[in-house]
Amino acid sequence: MTGELQALLTRLHEKDYKLTPQRKVILKAFVDNKDEHLSAEDIYGIVKEQYPDIGLATVYRTLDLLAELGILLRMNFGDGRFRYEFSNSDVHQHHHLICMECGRVQEFADDLLEDLERRVGEENGFRVVDHQVKFYGYCSECDRKKA
Amino acid sequence: MTGELQALLTRLHEKDYKLTPQRKVILKAFVDNKDEHLSAEDIYGIVKEQYPDIGLATVYRTLDLLAELGILLRMNFGDGRFRYEFSNSDVHQHHHLICMECGRVQEFADDLLEDLERRVGEENGFRVVDHQVKFYGYCSECDRKKA
DNA sequence: TTTGCTGCAAATGTTTTGCAATATC
DNA sequence: GATATTGCAAAACATTTGCAGCAAA
């Protein structure tokens, strides 16, 4: 756990970014909330407990930085704000199931898409470098409640 | 062409929505720009030529209405504004190739995904009702310029 | 000590809303 | 004539930016 945070800090340090307490605390928030898809405001709320004087602008700037470095993934679920998650390079491709009732986001991994990606690129004269797949529907819980 | 506009107006009329010139002119803008992915501001610009007194708020309200009725699809390409396109029920599933250089959006249709959709739903206890797929990369033109 | 970072407040850009006036049915 | 719809201006909301002060190296 601590080792993971350390590794990330080292990664920043290697690129000559300063290791400020604000950056540490934001990174820690992601380490502690691995499965979440956090918005800037979410992070701000979490981080304010440990570091009450942090400014929202700093959160935004840090998220930008971490996303540029590839440490975070910036995603858009269509709810009007960006959300961020740890860019776990092990699980290379993972996608999202978005519940239209409660808004909960589940993840799923799938490699079948790489095939599709290649084929679509060839057929359309397009060099595909990334893809994003979202399925919309109802999670089992909401589906049960509705029935 | 005119027939298509008529059909849409009838659809509004049947649901007791008033056929205002503003609504007609906005619908016409979509009929005339079938292959585009238009933002509210885009529509506002187009429509202002025929109806200079229209307000931007009316454009937003009309787009909301048409999207709710299923006449338009509201989409988010991550460029900070919603974009709308005709919901052409013939081409049931079509997806987007987004050029990371010039921002142009090409479409492609694919039915292979329905399979995937079913399988993912089953494996994750999720009732999938829609999906959205975006491929990011470089269109042939930009790819050529870069090489 | 030097520069990069921060917090604050103001600015930005898109979308929404309150309200009085207006136009459709 | 009743009520939905409009235009305008202001508000809301997420995000960005300018800048003076501060802190990591």
Side-chain angles (χ1 to χ4, degrees):
Chain A
M1 282 296 155
T2 313
E4 187 167 14
L5 186 54
Q6 265 312 322
L8 292 167
L9 294 176
T10 305
R11 219 161 134 188
L12 280 189
H13 188 246
E14 276 169 357
K15 304 225 171 176
D16 285 334
Y17 290 106
K18 294 188 175 168
L19 267 48
T20 66
Q22 290 91 333
R23 286 175 177 168
K24 289 180 192 174
V25 126
I26 289 172
L27 274 170
K28 185 172 182 323
F30 278 99
V31 171
D32 290 346
N33 292 277
K34 279 235 183 69
D35 302 330
E36 306 281 339
H37 306 90
L38 302 164
S39 67
E41 204 76 38
D42 290 340
I43 290 291
Y44 185 56
I46 292 170
V47 148
K48 237 178 155 28
E49 289 173 29
Q50 286 184 59
Y51 198 99
D53 285 349
I54 198 167
L56 185 53
T58 299
V59 173
Y60 275 102
R61 283 186 283 232
T62 304
L63 294 178
D64 278 0
L65 173 66
L66 298 176
E68 254 168 52
L69 292 178
I71 292 173
L72 297 181
L73 282 176
R74 170 196 267 222
M75 25 204 48
N76 193 327
F77 293 138
D79 63 345
R81 75 213 63 186
F82 287 112
R83 297 190 166 274
Y84 297 82
E85 65 171 45
F86 237 128
S87 171
N88 193 341
S89 46
D90 307 342
V91 186
H92 184 233
Q93 294 296 350
H94 78 264
H95 305 293
H96 295 102
L97 296 166
I98 302 167
C99 180
M100 292 159 71
E101 187 76 20
C102 67
R104 198 155 61 95
V105 179
Q106 280 174 250
E107 300 185 353
F108 73 93
D110 202 291
D111 304 317
L112 196 104
L113 272 147
E114 319 227 330
D115 238 38
L116 181 64
E117 181 175 297
R118 203 199 58 252
R119 224 189 65 208
V120 168
E122 279 170 10
E123 283 173 13
N124 293 274
F126 199 94
R127 184 158 64 86
V128 179
V129 303
D130 194 14
H131 61 237
Q132 199 183 85
V133 178
K134 292 178 224 166
F135 287 104
Y136 294 90
Y138 301 95
C139 69
S140 50
E141 204 167 320
C142 289
D143 207 23
R144 202 180 312 125
K145 280 180 196 155
K146 289 184 81 180
Chain B
M1 283 296 155
T2 313
E4 188 168 12
L5 185 53
Q6 265 312 321
L8 291 167
L9 295 175
T10 305
R11 218 161 135 188
L12 280 189
H13 189 246
E14 277 170 357
K15 305 226 172 176
D16 285 334
Y17 291 106
K18 295 187 176 169
L19 267 48
T20 66
Q22 290 91 334
R23 285 175 177 168
K24 289 180 192 172
V25 125
I26 289 172
L27 274 170
K28 187 173 180 323
F30 278 99
V31 171
D32 291 346
N33 292 278
K34 279 236 184 69
D35 301 331
E36 307 281 340
H37 307 90
L38 301 164
S39 68
E41 204 75 40
D42 290 340
I43 289 290
Y44 185 56
I46 293 170
V47 148
K48 238 180 153 30
E49 289 174 27
Q50 286 184 58
Y51 198 99
D53 285 349
I54 199 167
L56 183 54
T58 299
V59 173
Y60 274 102
R61 282 186 284 234
T62 304
L63 294 178
D64 278 0
L65 174 66
L66 297 176
E68 254 168 53
L69 292 178
I71 293 172
L72 297 180
L73 282 177
R74 169 197 266 222
M75 27 204 43
N76 193 327
F77 293 138
D79 64 346
R81 75 215 62 185
F82 286 112
R83 297 190 166 274
Y84 296 84
E85 67 171 42
F86 236 129
S87 171
N88 193 341
S89 45
D90 306 343
V91 185
H92 183 232
Q93 294 295 350
H94 78 265
H95 305 290
H96 296 103
L97 296 165
I98 303 167
C99 180
M100 292 159 71
E101 186 78 18
C102 67
R104 197 156 60 97
V105 178
Q106 278 173 252
E107 298 184 356
F108 74 93
D110 202 291
D111 303 317
L112 196 101
L113 272 148
E114 318 227 333
D115 238 37
L116 181 63
E117 182 175 297
R118 202 199 60 252
R119 222 189 66 208
V120 168
E122 280 170 11
E123 284 174 14
N124 294 273
F126 199 93
R127 185 158 62 85
V128 179
V129 302
D130 194 16
H131 61 237
Q132 201 186 83
V133 179
K134 292 179 222 165
F135 287 103
Y136 294 89
Y138 300 95
C139 69
S140 50
E141 205 168 319
C142 289
D143 208 23
R144 202 181 309 124
K145 281 180 194 156
K146 289 185 78 179

